[in-house]
Structure formats: structure tokens, C-alpha cells
Amino acid sequence: MLKSILLFSLICLTLLTSKAQSVQWASKVMSFSSEYSDPLLGKEYRAIHILGRPSKYPKFSATPSAWQSLTPDNPGGEFIIVSFDTAKVVKQVAIFENFGAGSITRVDALDENNKLYLLKEFNAGYAQANGQITRIRLANPTSFKVKSIKITMNSLRVSGYSQLDAVVISDGDSPIEDRIKLEVDPNAYLVKENLGTAINSKFNEICPVVSPDGKKLYFTRWKHPDNLGANKNQDIWVSNLKDKKQWEKATLFPAPINNEENNAVCGISPNGKTMLLNNVYGKDGQMEKGVSLSFLLRTGEWSFPKPIRIQNFKNKSEYSEYTLAPNGKVLLMTTEMKDSYGGKDIYVSFLKSDDTWTEPKNIGAAVNTGESESTPFIAPDGQTMYFSSSGHVGYGNNDIFLTRRLDDSWLNWSIPENVGPVVNTNQWDGYFTVSAQGDYAYFSSVENSMGAEDIYRIKIPEKVKPQTLVQVSGQVINQLSKLAIPAKILVKSRVSSDTMQIDYDPYLGDFSFMWPTKKPFYMEIRAKGFVTRRENFDFRDQAKYFESVQLLGLVPIEMNKQYKVPNLSFIQSKSEISKESYPALDEIVLILQENEGLHLLVEGHTDNQGDWDENLKLSLERANQVKSYLISKGISVNRIDTKGWGGTKPLNTSTLEEKRRLNRRVEFSFFVVQ
């Protein structure tokens, strides 16, 4: 892996000096003598894995997430040159020899002109252990700025392979490892709550998925005697939350979701009506590798799983895990492909207009390592991802980490943070999931379990919480009849490009979605035969999760009835339309696009100040400006008529400008040509 460059999380950042020393980890490989490669592997053991922070500290061991030479014993020796983001004066160098320590013969520094300076030579036998931090502490800072470090090795000094995990430089004397110390909490296990016999047994309980409303817990049991089939393969179980935050005794989930093969829930949509499932279901009961979707029917049953078709999806590993973003259009998965950094990596795929999914893209070296990453989970905020890995600094052989999406590409992520000793143990930990409320987290662990893996929950530590969410739910109704109507709801952030499309069917229940409170948004509600409605929302003053219920009424389109264009007004004596008016006009475009038989009459008005003839001309110019905008959006010129009324139809006769400006307007009405 390209180790994390800055792992903040639950790591001690306290320095021993009054002035903070500057520390840089190697960020680029400039040259090397050789690197291990295998046609059956991805990028394991490559030189790139020496970059960033170490993956096997403090427990040193062999790892594919470190640089390893092509052969174990090369008479000609080996070397590697790494550079740093910024050239700087150096007082200290540290090399993490995670395995086969003792091969280094000398370390040189290169200045900005690539001139070589010897920093230290090493005699045979300098290593005190098979894995160690090898330090160079200079009596005085270098007289030049160090841009690169060259490490020369005699691989014959140590029998077998030697691995280098990381290289770091500093302008201070404080031990560099202080920067990556893990938090120690001997009482952490007291905070972790085993969910008890209602959920756990002496068999394996893994893959917990809590519904966004926090009221249902889905999980997988393996080899349980009540599972389906003779082999008792993995089956899905479900439990409901009781009033006192306790879970009822779990029950076996019904067919067709469970069958005699391996079954697992990967995620639940924010409205609780779409279920992401591992594997592709065959009508004959057989299963293939892949992922499927099941939908909640009006009867209350779940549909037969529909496969998700991902272009050029290939997996060299036997296993994959999946998680679906809250908008339903972004799928994250673990798979092993040709460009994997090592073992399974996390990839992303996007929903296309033809209902297939794009070829998976590796989400990058900030998250993926030379080890295998597993059990990714996108929180309901659509921004925070939890995953399990042994390729970042951790407590055991597999820890849970947190990373946050930095942009809308889904390829740039923050440096992973270890979620800490409350969750992570010295054994295997994974399957971390949270509800939208952000109160509890659920995960699997073998520590102090009833038998095999059990499911635990904790109060989510503040530092690893997802963003605070609002759950918006409700109905779309006919404003006149008060009856629920089918509609399409577009939810769009007012501060980013985040969007969500909801097809609302009143027969399936209320619409429901989650949204980060820190992002103001608007809802655009469209239905055939109704005037499009747009509503703005801003919940930035809400510090905790809460629910907002909306009853959204749409006005039926009535023929020959005048409607005022909202948010469309004019400067006195001007006809130009401002960009702020475009969204309101776009709503008219949508109505005309969805109702091809409709025609539009656009009527312009002015106030009663000035010359009568000039006002008449200006009012028509305003109507024609609207007409031109609609035509530019693809509406036929033959469907739009215009009129100008000057100042003959005022809304307000006041002489005050604040009132008079309301007369400078455009109105529209729909009609059908007989």
C-alpha cells in the first residue's frame, strides 16, 4: 500500500519539545535496484509500498505492503531512492525495517541538485531484532536541504528477504514514533456491549447492517442449526429494536432472500425499501459471484433479487463485499483486480442511464494497501466510509478505520483514521455499520465472544461519527383534492453537486431520505399535469439527528389560468432576465416537456410610471425575453404566444417603490389548441 500520509484519528500527537518538529514521510520513489513481482499478484511488495506511514508498526512482521527486492540474496546489493514533498534541513532519519532487518550498509542524502552526502554507514550485526526502527540522529542539522534519501543494502547480510516499510525525515530530535503511537485504553472492552443471546450464539454472527431508522438489525449467521439447507450455509437473520434500546430475539429472514446457498445483506436504502444483497440469485436456487437488489413490494414481501450488472467486473479473490451510497447511484466494493495494490482493494462503480454500472475504479492509495481491505460501509451521510484492513497502523491483525470522501469523484479520500481501542482488538475486527441517528455503531469481533464472531455495539465516539443527518419524509398531494399523487422528487445540494432522485409512489408509503444537516438543499417536486414546486431547506442549526415531515402540495395545471412566474421581477425600464430567475423558468420548461399537448401564453407587465407606449413596448420585450429563454431550452416556438399589457393591469396601485415594483412582472397561462 501507499501508507497513509497523516493518520490523525486516535493517535497521540503530543511532542516532547516546546517547538513542534516538522516530520515528512517519503512521498515518491525516484529509483530502485529491483522489486518483487509475480504475474499472479497485483502490486504487492512493490517499491511504492515504502511510501507514506508504516503498515506494520508497532507489531513488526512481513507484509506485502512493504518494498521487497526481487531476490532474497543479491551479491550485487540493492538500493532505493525516495523523495519528499518539500526539501528541508534534516536532523533525524528513521527507516522502518519491518522484516529481515540488518541489510542496510549506508544511508545518503541528496540535496536539491541531487548531490550525494553520506549520513551514516552501518556495520554488519547492527540490527537488534527481525523488525525495528533504524535511526540516524545527526549531531547537527544538515547544512543543505534534503530532497531525497538513498538507502543501500547488502542482502547477503541477512538470510532471506528484507523489507522496508517506511522512510521518514525530521528537523528535530524527538522520537518519530511518538507521531504514530496508538491510544492505549485498558478499560476499552467495558464500553463495548455484546448484544447477547437475542442476537449472538456459539456460531458465527457477522455482517451487521442496521436500517437507517435504527429500528431493524440485519446480520448473517453461518452454520447455525436453524439455517436453511443441509449444509447450513450463511443465512440472513433480522431483529427489531424494542422500546428500551434492546433487540428482540432474531428470526430467520424469509425466502426468496434466504436460500440454501450463502446469503448476506450488504445494505439498506435510506427509505428502507431497497436491500443490497451479496451474490447473484439464479431461478434454480444456485448462486454466482456478484451483487443484487431486492425491493419491498406493496404486499410487504421482498422481490426476487435482481442482479446488478457491472461492466468488466472481475475478481481474483473468492470474496467480495459491497456497500451502496444513500443516493442509490454509487456502489463501493472490495475486489482483487490487475491494478489492486495487494489482495482485495476498495473500488467504486456508478449507475448508468441504461441501468448497468460502470467498470470499477480503484479508489486510490490513501485507503488501499498491499494488504487486503474488506467490509466497507458507507454511512447514511454519503460521505463517511468505514472499512477493515491490516495495512494501516493498528492494534491487531485487522482493524476498523474511517475515511471521508473529499470530492464528488469518489476517488479522493482522507487519510484513514483508526477508530480506536474501544472497537479494535489484537484480533480480527470488521463489519462496522452505523444508523442515521449516529448514536450506536455495530461491528463483529471475536474478543470475549460467546463462541465464534459476535456482534457488538458501542456509543459512537465523537471523533468517528458520520455527519449529522436529517430524515425528510412525507407525501406529495394534489393541493385541491388533498389526495396523494405519484411524483418525481429531485433533491439537490445548494453548496455542492450532491443530488438524489426519488420516484415517489404513494401506494408504497411515504417518501423518505437522509441528508447532511450542514448542506442546505432544495427539493424539486414534479408530477404530470401539475405545476412544478421547488422548496428550499436549511437545517444547519440542528446539532443532532432529527426527522422532518413534509406534506408537499402540487397545484393542478388549469387551462387559461394565470400564474405569476416566481422569483422573476425586473429593474425599472429593463427587460433583461437575471440568472437568479433561471430555476423558476426551468420549472415551466419541465411542465411543457412533460405535457406535450400544452401551449403557453406569456404576458408581460410594467408599472404605470413613464410613457404609455414605451411601457407597452417594454412589457412585450419582457414576455419575449421569457419566450427566448424557453426556446433556448428546446421548447418549440409554435407552442409559445406572448402579449404585452404595459401598465394597464397593476397588482398594486401604491406609489411606494417597494409595492410598485411588484407590477413589473411576467405571468403565464397554459392552453390547449383545439
Side-chain angles (χ1 to χ4, degrees):
M1 111 123 216
L2 304 181
K3 264 72 75 194
S4 5
I5 305 300
L6 287 170
L7 180 60
F8 283 107
S9 156
L10 302 171
I11 291 176
C12 175
L13 299 180
T14 304
L15 301 180
L16 302 180
T17 59
S18 58
K19 181 181 178 181
Q21 67 181 18
S22 174
V23 169
Q24 286 194 77
W25 299 87
S27 59
K28 185 177 181 180
V29 176
M30 305 302 295
S31 182
F32 55 89
S33 53
S34 71
E35 63 182 358
Y36 187 85
S37 63
D38 186 320
L40 299 178
L41 298 178
K43 299 178 182 178
E44 293 95 324
Y45 306 103
R46 301 292 180 90
I48 55 172
H49 292 300
I50 200 174
L51 303 180
R53 288 180 172 260
S55 63
K56 288 302 179 185
Y57 179 83
K59 296 182 178 181
F60 293 108
S61 64
T63 174
S65 194
W67 172 55
Q68 179 175 294
S69 58
L70 181 60
T71 58
D73 302 302
N74 179 7
E78 303 284 353
F79 75 90
I80 189 166
I81 302 174
V82 295
S83 66
F84 303 85
D85 286 335
T86 305
K88 61 182 294 179
V89 171
V90 166
K91 186 78 184 296
Q92 182 183 178
V93 179
I95 302 165
F96 285 72
E97 296 190 76
N98 62 293
F99 183 75
S103 293
I104 297 175
T105 58
R106 62 183 286 159
V107 175
D108 296 278
L110 288 80
D111 65 13
E112 294 173 285
N113 296 315
N114 290 325
K115 183 178 179 180
L116 208 63
Y117 298 83
L118 175 66
L119 295 183
K120 186 174 182 177
E121 291 185 308
F122 291 85
N123 296 321
Y126 71 85
Q128 302 299 306
N130 191 44
Q132 67 175 37
I133 302 175
T134 299
R135 299 177 178 84
I136 300 172
R137 289 191 174 94
L138 304 177
N140 299 296
T142 56
S143 59
F144 57 93
K145 290 184 177 180
V146 174
K147 179 63 176 176
S148 304
I149 291 290
K150 179 180 181 181
I151 303 168
T152 305
M153 303 169 66
N154 178 357
S155 58
L156 295 177
R157 282 186 175 181
V158 175
S159 178
Y161 284 103
S162 295
Q163 293 184 341
L164 300 187
D165 199 9
V167 181
V168 60
I169 57 176
S170 170
D171 58 6
D173 293 311
S174 298
I176 289 174
E177 59 268 30
D178 281 355
R179 291 294 187 98
I180 51 175
K181 279 184 178 178
L182 291 165
E183 183 182 62
V184 177
D185 186 354
N187 297 314
Y189 71 93
L190 297 176
V191 184
K192 185 167 56 176
E193 177 189 357
N194 188 301
L195 291 189
T197 55
I199 303 296
N200 295 315
S201 69
K202 66 180 181 180
F203 302 94
N204 290 76
E205 279 81 29
I206 59 172
C207 198
V209 173
V210 61
S211 61
D213 62 8
K215 296 177 181 178
K216 284 186 180 292
L217 177 67
Y218 303 89
F219 64 95
T220 297
R221 273 178 170 160
W222 185 57
K223 296 300 182 184
H224 192 279
D226 292 336
N227 282 4
L228 300 180
N231 295 325
K232 305 300 179 184
N233 291 318
Q234 288 183 179
D235 272 351
I236 299 164
W237 291 66
V238 62
S239 174
N240 296 309
L241 188 66
K242 295 186 289 187
D243 293 338
K244 295 183 178 180
K245 297 291 184 181
Q246 298 300 314
W247 292 98
E248 296 177 350
K249 190 170 182 60
T251 58
L252 188 66
F253 206 73
I257 306 304
N258 274 328
N259 57 26
E260 295 189 7
E261 300 297 325
N262 289 312
N263 313 114
V265 174
C266 303
I268 300 291
S269 64
N271 63 6
K273 297 175 183 177
T274 302
M275 184 180 290
L276 186 70
L277 298 163
N278 209 354
N279 293 322
V280 171
Y281 287 64
K283 294 293 184 180
D284 58 357
Q286 298 299 307
M287 306 280 263
E288 298 178 5
K289 285 184 183 180
V291 62
S292 303
L293 291 172
S294 179
F295 306 96
L296 187 63
L297 305 174
R298 296 181 185 181
T299 60
E301 299 175 327
W302 288 87
S303 68
F304 189 86
K306 169 188 173 183
I308 288 179
R309 300 300 183 190
I310 305 170
Q311 293 181 353
N312 299 323
F313 176 73
K314 297 176 182 178
N315 186 8
K316 293 162 61 178
S317 172
E318 184 179 353
Y319 304 103
S320 279
E321 297 98 1
Y322 304 87
T323 181
L324 191 65
N327 65 8
K329 297 181 179 181
V330 182
L331 183 70
L332 288 155
M333 68 200 78
T334 58
T335 183
E336 185 176 358
M337 302 178 73
K338 287 183 178 180
D339 63 343
S340 296
Y341 291 99
K344 290 188 303 176
D345 279 2
I346 300 176
Y347 287 75
V348 64
S349 178
F350 303 96
L351 180 63
K352 298 172 62 178
S353 58
D354 62 359
D355 208 30
T356 64
W357 294 74
T358 61
E359 182 175 347
K361 291 184 178 180
N362 193 300
I363 68 169
V367 173
N368 291 319
T369 74
E371 305 279 352
S372 283
E373 277 63 54
S374 62
T375 68
F377 172 76
I378 281 288
D381 65 1
Q383 197 86 17
T384 308
M385 179 173 70
Y386 304 94
F387 68 99
S388 184
S389 176
S390 58
H392 300 276
V393 174
Y395 296 87
N397 60 16
N398 223 77
D399 277 10
I400 296 167
F401 297 85
L402 167 153
T403 180
R404 301 188 196 273
R405 180 165 57 90
L406 300 178
D407 58 31
D408 295 330
S409 72
W410 291 79
L411 300 177
N412 294 313
W413 297 82
S414 68
I415 300 307
E417 307 171 19
N418 191 299
V419 300
V422 175
V423 174
N424 290 316
T425 69
N426 61 1
Q427 301 183 61
W428 191 95
D429 301 291
Y431 296 107
F432 193 91
T433 181
V434 300
S435 66
Q437 286 91 335
D439 50 0
Y440 285 101
Y442 297 84
F443 58 97
S444 296
S445 180
V446 298
E447 186 178 61
N448 300 321
S449 67
M450 296 180 179
E453 287 162 296
D454 277 358
I455 296 174
Y456 294 79
R457 73 176 178 186
I458 60 163
K459 285 278 189 180
I460 303 180
E462 195 65 34
K463 290 183 179 180
V464 298
K465 279 187 175 182
Q467 297 177 81
T468 303
L469 298 177
V470 55
Q471 181 182 33
V472 183
S473 61
Q475 290 184 316
V476 179
I477 63 170
N478 182 320
Q479 187 67 48
L480 301 181
S481 70
K482 307 304 181 185
L483 297 176
I485 56 174
K488 291 184 180 295
I489 302 172
L490 175 68
V491 185
K492 183 169 177 54
S493 169
R494 287 155 50 193
V495 295
S496 73
S497 61
D498 289 347
T499 60
M500 183 182 298
Q501 182 77 48
I502 302 169
D503 290 326
Y504 168 62
D505 183 348
Y507 295 103
L508 296 179
D510 294 355
F511 69 80
S512 178
F513 65 90
M514 306 286 181
W515 195 265
T517 56
K518 73 175 186 179
K519 291 185 178 181
F521 65 96
Y522 68 81
M523 293 174 62
E524 186 177 270
I525 307 99
R526 306 196 309 264
K528 192 170 184 178
F530 290 82
V531 178
T532 300
R533 176 175 174 178
R534 180 183 293 228
E535 289 289 330
N536 290 318
F537 296 90
D538 191 341
F539 298 112
R540 282 177 289 186
D541 59 344
Q542 297 291 333
K544 294 183 178 180
Y545 168 88
F546 75 107
E547 299 177 5
S548 175
V549 179
Q550 300 291 326
L551 188 64
L552 301 169
L554 296 186
V555 178
I557 297 173
E558 298 182 48
M559 298 300 103
N560 305 310
K561 177 182 177 180
Q562 288 180 328
Y563 299 91
K564 183 178 181 296
V565 179
N567 304 321
L568 180 59
S569 58
F570 298 89
I571 299 173
Q572 191 171 18
S573 303
K574 301 292 183 181
S575 63
E576 289 79 12
I577 300 172
S578 66
K579 290 183 179 180
E580 290 73 19
S581 302
Y582 291 171
L585 295 176
D586 289 340
E587 294 174 8
I588 300 175
V589 172
L590 289 171
I591 293 172
L592 293 172
Q593 287 175 338
E594 294 174 351
N595 299 271
E596 295 182 0
L598 289 183
H599 288 241
L600 185 71
L601 173 62
V602 184
E603 300 174 87
H605 301 267
T606 67
D607 59 27
N608 57 7
Q609 302 295 300
D611 182 80
W612 191 93
D613 290 329
E614 288 297 320
N615 283 341
L616 186 65
K617 178 183 176 183
L618 178 61
S619 65
L620 185 59
E621 287 176 353
R622 287 174 174 170
N624 284 329
Q625 284 280 345
V626 171
K627 179 178 180 179
S628 296
Y629 181 84
L630 301 179
I631 292 171
S632 73
K633 294 295 183 177
I635 304 302
S636 171
V637 63
N638 298 323
R639 296 176 64 190
I640 307 171
D641 292 342
T642 57
K643 278 186 180 181
W645 295 98
T648 61
K649 294 186 176 184
L651 292 176
N652 196 295
T653 58
S654 173
T655 58
L656 297 174
E657 168 60 19
E658 189 65 25
K659 300 289 186 180
R660 194 172 61 237
R661 69 181 181 82
L662 299 177
N663 296 324
R664 303 191 291 267
R665 68 195 189 278
V666 167
E667 295 175 331
F668 66 94
S669 56
F670 297 104
F671 65 96
V672 177
V673 177
Q674 301 297 329

